[in-house]
């Protein structure tokens, strides 16, 4: 919240005061038919600037007091001119601050007073319809300009509010993306470390060389998880990429680190895909391999990437058998629901279910139409 600008409160009151009090004597000199400005006249002229100073905290009462003081000034027969500065500022302020009804009622009442004053009360009453209409038109112009300014400020405030909400929504989506990325990174690598640690413990006595291989895999996996976590957290930095890098160029490294028997096939004309699709493909395959390592270690895995005209199909099939319910949406983990959310977020689909051979994950993600350069 911005701190109040005291000078913005004081400056208009000072300017109005200097104008009204400074020109009060001069106005009476050029209007000899009016009463010369005396102490009472200057006191009435000073009421307006004092109310302008209080316009933010006492808007409607200050408007009423200013209007009444102006009417009294005119009734006393003092010169026209400077006394109208304070009412103009107060009516404008009342509209800007949302006191529309008070401003319009005061303006109508003041216009009626001017008409009555010039018709029946002034020292030399006269009917000057052009004068009265001009005064009313001027008051109407002040209020109209105030309404336009207020509407513009409201539009700008609404734009700022919408922009802030959009910024918060994007920040929430980025935090959700980061949380999902961290989940996938940690789940995959910790599962891999767990499987390899179990293998090392089982082989360390009888087959130390094989245990050494498992321990080397654990070392590499722990290094990789630290690097990927650093990549995700770097999103918070202003000069970092908006999303962590997890693309198809790292797919072979991912497969090699799992220690599983994996074969990969690419069908169709391979072409560049949007980064969001690359990231989703990488994480879907990573989560699928994590599930195999966790629930069906030793199974063979076949990964197929099929580039179609308008979609990229991913199929991860293994020959293992998991315990009942371990790889369903009803299970305790977030792996399959997370994969499905990634696919749906891009307008695609994902199915994951056991079959006669083992367990199969199939995802279909939309792609932009291939350009002639990509064919």
């Amino acid at each position: 919240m911005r701190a109040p600008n005291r000078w913005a409160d004081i400056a208009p009151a000072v300017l109005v005061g200097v104008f009204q009090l400074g020109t009060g004597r001069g106005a009476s000199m050029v209007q000899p038919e009016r009463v010369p400005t005396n102490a009472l006249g200057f006191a009435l002229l000073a009421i307006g600037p004092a109310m302008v100073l209080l316009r933010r905290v006492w808007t409607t009462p200050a408007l009423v007091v200013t209007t009444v003081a102006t009417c009294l000034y005119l009734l006393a027969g003092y010169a026209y001119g400077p006394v109208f500065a304070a009412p103009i500022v107060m009516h404008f302020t009342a509209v800007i601050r949302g006191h529309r009804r008070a401003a319009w009622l005061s303006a109508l009442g003041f216009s009626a007073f001017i008409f009555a004053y010039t018709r029946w009360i002034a020292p030399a009453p006269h009917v000057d319809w052009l004068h009265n209409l001009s005064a009313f038109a001027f008051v109407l112009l002040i209020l109209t300009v105030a309404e336009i300014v207020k509407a513009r400020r409201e539009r700008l405030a609404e734009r700022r509010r919408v922009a802030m909400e959009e910024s918060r929504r994007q920040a929430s989506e980025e935090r959700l993306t980061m949380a999902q990325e961290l989940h996938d990174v940690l789940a995959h690598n910790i599962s891999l470390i767990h499987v390899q640690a179990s293998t090392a413990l089982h082989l360390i006595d009888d087959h130390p060389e094989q245990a050494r291989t498992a321990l080397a895999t654990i070392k590499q996996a722990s290094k990789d998880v630290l690097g990927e976590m650093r990549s995700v957290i770097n999103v918070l930095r202003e000069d970092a990429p908006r999303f962590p890098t997890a693309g198809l160029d790292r797919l072979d490294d991912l497969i090699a680190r799992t220690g599983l028997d994996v074969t990969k096939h690419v069908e169709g004309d391979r072409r560049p895909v949007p980064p969001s699709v690359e990231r989703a493909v990488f994480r879907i395959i990573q989560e699928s391999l994590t599930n195999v390592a966790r629930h069906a270690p030793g199974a063979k895995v076949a990964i197929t990437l099929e580039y179609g005209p308008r979609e990229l199909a991913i199929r991860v099939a293994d020959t293992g058998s998991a315990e009942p319910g371990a790889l369903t949406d009803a299970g305790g983990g977030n792996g399959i629901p997370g994969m499905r959310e990634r696919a749906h977020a891009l307008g695609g689909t994902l199915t994951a279910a056991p079959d006669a051979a083992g367990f199969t994950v199939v995802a279909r993600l939309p792609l932009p139409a291939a350009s002639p350069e990509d064919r």
Side-chain angles (χ1 to χ4, degrees), residues 53-372:
L53 185 63
L54 300 175
R55 71 192 186 282
R56 294 185 186 272
V57 295
W58 205 28
T59 304
T60 298
L63 172 64
V64 173
V65 171
T66 301
T67 304
V68 171
T70 304
C71 293
L72 292 176
Y73 179 89
L74 295 175
L75 287 173
Y78 296 117
Y80 301 114
V83 71
F84 296 111
I88 291 173
V89 174
M90 287 306 306
H91 282 85
F92 186 88
T93 301
V95 173
I96 291 296
R97 295 188 63 80
H99 300 265
R100 286 190 174 98
R101 180 178 297 178
W104 282 94
L105 289 176
S106 175
L108 290 175
F110 188 67
S111 299
F113 168 80
I114 294 297
F115 174 80
Y117 178 79
T118 57
R119 177 66 180 86
W120 295 295
I121 305 175
H126 62 283
V127 178
D128 187 347
W129 290 104
L130 180 61
H131 175 273
N132 291 333
L133 290 175
S134 299
F136 179 75
F138 183 75
V139 172
L140 185 62
L141 175 64
I142 295 299
L143 295 178
T144 302
V145 171
E147 292 284 359
I148 293 173
V149 173
K150 180 173 176 57
R152 182 175 180 275
R153 289 184 178 181
E154 289 176 346
R155 287 196 300 270
L156 292 176
E158 178 65 16
R159 289 176 185 173
R160 286 193 294 267
R161 185 189 65 80
V162 171
M164 290 179 63
E165 289 184 356
E166 178 65 16
S167 177
R168 284 194 290 265
R169 184 189 65 80
Q170 291 180 355
S172 297
E173 290 182 354
E174 289 184 3
R175 285 194 294 268
L176 181 61
T177 299
M178 289 179 61
Q180 193 173 34
E181 293 288 331
L182 284 173
H183 167 269
D184 292 346
V185 169
L186 293 174
H188 171 74
N189 287 281
I190 291 176
S191 296
L192 179 60
I193 290 172
H194 173 73
V195 171
Q196 295 297 331
S198 300
T199 302
L201 288 174
H202 179 70
L203 299 175
I204 194 167
D205 292 328
D206 299 330
H207 304 281
E209 290 302 322
Q210 295 181 24
R212 183 186 299 275
T213 302
L215 291 174
T217 302
I218 292 174
K219 177 182 178 182
Q220 184 62 39
S222 62
K223 178 180 178 181
D224 291 340
V225 72
L226 290 175
E228 292 205 43
M229 286 182 62
R230 189 178 298 112
S231 174
V232 172
I233 294 174
N234 277 344
V235 177
L236 296 174
R237 298 178 180 173
E238 293 183 359
D239 56 348
R242 297 300 291 172
F243 294 101
T245 56
L248 296 179
D249 57 333
R250 297 177 53 197
L251 197 55
D252 291 337
D253 293 336
L254 171 68
I255 293 172
R257 288 192 288 107
T258 61
L260 298 171
D261 185 359
V262 180
T263 57
K264 186 184 75 169
H265 302 281
V266 178
E267 299 178 359
D269 296 328
R270 185 168 184 173
R271 64 181 189 273
V273 299
S276 57
V277 175
E278 275 203 67
R279 189 167 54 254
V281 172
F282 184 90
R283 296 306 184 193
I284 288 172
I285 294 175
Q286 183 184 60
E287 182 63 29
S288 300
L289 295 178
T290 298
N291 288 335
V292 175
R294 183 186 300 166
H295 302 289
K300 295 182 178 180
V301 183
I303 299 175
T304 303
L305 299 177
E306 182 181 352
Y307 288 82
R310 301 305 297 261
E311 71 174 14
L312 174 59
I314 307 99
R315 186 175 187 273
V316 183
D318 67 77
T319 59
S321 58
E323 55 190 57
L327 293 178
T328 66
D329 291 344
N334 296 318
I336 293 177
M339 289 191 292
R340 184 168 288 115
E341 289 174 3
R342 285 183 180 276
H344 289 175
L346 297 174
T349 61
L350 184 140
T351 59
D355 53 27
F359 197 89
T360 302
V361 175
V362 177
R364 298 184 181 278
L365 306 178
L367 292 178
S371 62

